[in-house]
Amino acid sequence: MKPETISTIEVIITSVIRFWPVWAALAVSLTSGYFIRERLGTFGRLYGSPVGLAGLAIVLFWVFTALFADVIAVLGPLEQSFTGGMKKAPIGSIDSESGILFLWGADNLARDIFSRVVYGSRIVLIIAPAATLIAYMVGSTLGLPAGYYTGWIDTAMSFLANLVLAFPVILLFYLLVTPEVRIPTMYNFGLFEVPWSIPIGMAALFFLFPIIFLCLMWWTKYEKAPQKLMIRGGITLVIGLWLYVGLVFQSPIAPLSLDPNELNVFAAVVLGSSPGVFRIVRGLTMDIKTRDYVAAAQTRGERPWYIMLWEILPNARGPLIVDFCLRIGYTTILLGTLGFFGLGLQPESPDWGSMINHGRSFVRLTSTIHLALFPALALMTLVLGLNLLADGLREESLKD
Amino acid sequence: MDLGLSTDPNTPILEVEDLNISFYTRSGEIPAVMDFSMTVMPGETMGLVGESGCGKSTVSLGIMQYLGNNGQIKSGSIKFMGRDMSSFSREELRDIRGSKISMVYQEPMASLNPAMKIGRQLNEVLTLHEGLSEEEAAKRSASMLDAVRLPDPDRIMGAYPHQLSGGQQQRVVISMALLSKPQLLLLDEPTTALDVTVEAGIVELIQDLAREFGTSMIFVSHNLGLILETCDRITVMYSGEAVEEGDINTVFDNMRHPYTKGLLRSIPVPGADKYAKPLVAIPGQLPLPHERPVGCNFGPRCQHYDEEACNKGLVPMAEVGHRHWSRCARIDEIDWDADVAAGVIDEPIEVGDVVVSVEGLKKHYAVSSGMFGGGDTRTVKANENLSFNAREAETVAIVGESGCGKSTFAKVLMGLETATEGEVTLGNLDIAHLPVEKRDAKTVSSVQMVFQNPFDTLNPSMTIGDQIVRVLEQFEIGDSDADRENKMLELLDLVKLPREFARRMPRQLSGGQKQRIGIARAFAGRPKLVVADEPVSALDVSVQAAVTKLLTDIQRESRTTMLFISHDLGVVRYLSDRIVVMYLGRIMEQGKTEDIFAPPYHPYTEALLSAVPVADTHVKKRHVVLEGELPSPLTPLPGCPFQTRCQFAIPGKCDSQLPPAREMGEGHIIACHLEPETLKEMEPVIVVEDNVAAG
């Protein structure tokens, strides 16, 4: 029995209305931002570029959607409707038993697509920036010495980076998906058990970098002030390692943990993005290292790592911010691609990539195209927004 | 096409009347040029002088109608050969650019297309504007290359720009500009990027070409000495307005505007001596475009400022003589012959014991020419056998052009490089082989450097205060954060900057202020030796005097030895007690300042002295122009390094044996094969007329 549907116009209007918290938040943030734009630095200058402002608005749209997901979504992301005929229900269907409007239809397991897209934004907006951030830590920690020292260090690291870039990453992902590789084996050390697999190994390596990076920062800056160094270094190490054992080894003593699928995703994404960041940071380092203030730092006896982290990196932030925005976009797409290969998150996860993957088989019929269409639109708008934002930032930084 | 231009010799080539140019940016309208008028008659060379930001480049771009996206001529007219330029259509403008009006820019490398051979670029001018065939164009181009005194024109026609030196490139650009025999040639700081001796050659070339071809020229520069040597008339600009215009000798000797007077008084000229006639800096700063005063723009900095007369409204240009105008409201009230108030005249500094001693210093770099490090390894002998001393509170100047090894020497002193051989003794420590990582904090803080480019000398992402405090931390000065904070504020006082600057970011400071911070940084650890690498050359003329004075004041108080690296002989003469002249890694001459500037000279010193433009009409200079270019330090010839350009070279001696060091008395040493008697008979290069400057 087919459920009742509402008309297309009503669907559109209701869609707009349902996002009311987001519109309100956008209005408040953008207008208040306008008044303090002088103090907002790079982001304040976006107000001079319509393109950049549009990008910012789109990105903020999804950020607020993620924040207000509980208010906007109608059902939970995993809730299924058991009313007959609700599987793959068309756009605008009303569940006859509960009376709930499935605004964008239902998927093949009778879950509300609208709610899943909304909750999916949370996952995308947490994983993509976090993975990009870790990729930045890895890329910077390797790119700075490569650009600063040049010589054999540079040759060796560039070779490694090129190797990773040249290697067909899809094959790597397939490798990571196979059960032998993916499922961890447990090693018993008496007091505790340590799971181990290739993805866990990779994650163990990559997640060390933020800790190393921060520790290097404190050590170089406070070398001559041991107290400050102790405090900052101590806090970083304690919190960092605590989170580390949780995220990487699923240790129960830590507050956060990732399930194996999420870990795989992180490992794969960071591996794929780091060489690109490495190259950019290396190039910027080689350019900035010729400036007089770097020579001034050298002549007062600063350590090379101090110069790299405190003299060179902060002054490279312009192009890096732009790249960061773009890279989040690429990572989001990558999450979708991984979802395709089954290397995504849990199969029932509402992240857009997985939704597109599951909806893939249904695109042939126009009556079921909505299973993949809405997550694809969401993905597309987010990446578009990030691109426009990056474009606007770059343009504004070049203008007077 | 017929452009309706008048060739009547009484019609000015260029007549600019009440020109107003503004830039429209994000922050609104910025007036760049205001009420500007200038007339250039056929055959004249007009000099346009002013500091950075005064609008002189904007004027020349405006003449070319080439202001870019956000610049616009708000009002006023520019008449080229009688016809108003705003009446030209786009095609007509394209027609006259390059053929009737040509421009030569500052950076020769940026003006030439790196992907095209020189010959093709030159031919383009002729085939485009005169419709000549390729062969005819090539012939004309080759003969023009000859006219600009480039040897072997055919080889140059077939070369790419990067295969030529800076001086050669600029000659090519000049020849390109002159190829189609323009009526008007605009030169925007054409020699600023070149070495002094090369600059002298270009200047002489420009003078000869002006005579030969009868081209009118507008020469934009901030170097008053250069303008004095090349131009017939001069227009002085300040903050977007022309403040004085007239014949060159009239303006220099009988100036009628306080800014012109202040400018001339803040430049070191050969007669100036830092103790008897100190440089007087123009106080204050250039006003920001939106902070310009209601009346005279120069008012706030002028010692003759009077609220009633000077701040009532726009001051117009008034005629003070034959073709001599000035924009001063109090022309008749000021006594122009009175000297500018000089302030305190200091006692000469007493020099102490030897602090730094350099013995036989050698620095060679190995350069391999093959890929992957294979191939022949050649050595660049950057420094060869340098020996000299410097005493406490003394200022030793190291003078030489690019490639002479002075920057390498500075790097060895700072520990950024280690010497190949030789010793540098500081106190009782040999620092020549001690890289900076291995030096302890005390040694590091006692040898510090002031860098050349003030715009790059500070980390743009840290506040001024944090940067200075970091320096103090590295030098292990101060017992606590509060103590260091105090010391940092004291350093700001030392360089005469307000204490609020500690919270500012470098981008909020001007070039002169940034350089003061650089000086504060260098002196933070009470160093024994400060190496100043061209510290004022990137600054405006009026700011140079203030920063120079600051350096001498600090030196007087802290009794630091200063090693002053420069190519500006005027400043060197003013500041230093002793001078070391370097050429291609070797010391050619060293001695007390008076001994260097008077004969006997090393032939290179003679050429250097003659090459530096002097902004003083009472100085007569002997003309010694060096042929050729600076040779490459990669393939030095045996014998004296100066043999390729020396007019006294003795074949058989100078090209095979190193010249001996001749003692001329009182620490004055010349390394030359010429006999001391011959050297003593040389005529002085710079002669100061009357006793005006000496007293």
Side-chain angles (χ1 to χ4, degrees), chain B residues 334-366:
Chain B
I334 301 176
D335 178 8
W336 297 103
D337 293 320
D339 202 5
V340 177
V344 173
I345 295 185
D346 297 312
E347 291 291 319
I349 306 179
E350 276 270 329
V351 164
D353 294 324
V354 171
V355 157
V356 153
S357 158
V358 181
E359 277 293 321
L361 184 70
K362 283 194 212 247
K363 176 66 189 170
H364 296 175
Y365 290 102

Side-chain angles (χ1 to χ4, degrees), chain A residues 221 228 293 302 315 396, chain B residues 26 456 459 461 470 481:
Chain A
K221 179 118 178 146
K228 293 188 192 165
Y293 54 85
E302 299 279 14
N315 294 311
E396 286 306 299
Chain B
R26 185 207 297 271
D456 248 357
N459 184 339
S461 310
R470 176 76 194 177
D481 283 348

Side-chain angles (χ1 to χ4, degrees), chain A residues 152-166 278 282:
Chain A
W152 66 266
I153 297 185
D154 180 24
T155 317
M157 291 214 224
S158 298
F159 182 71
L160 269 177
N162 288 335
L163 209 58
V164 175
L165 277 173
F278 166 86
R282 171 182 171 272

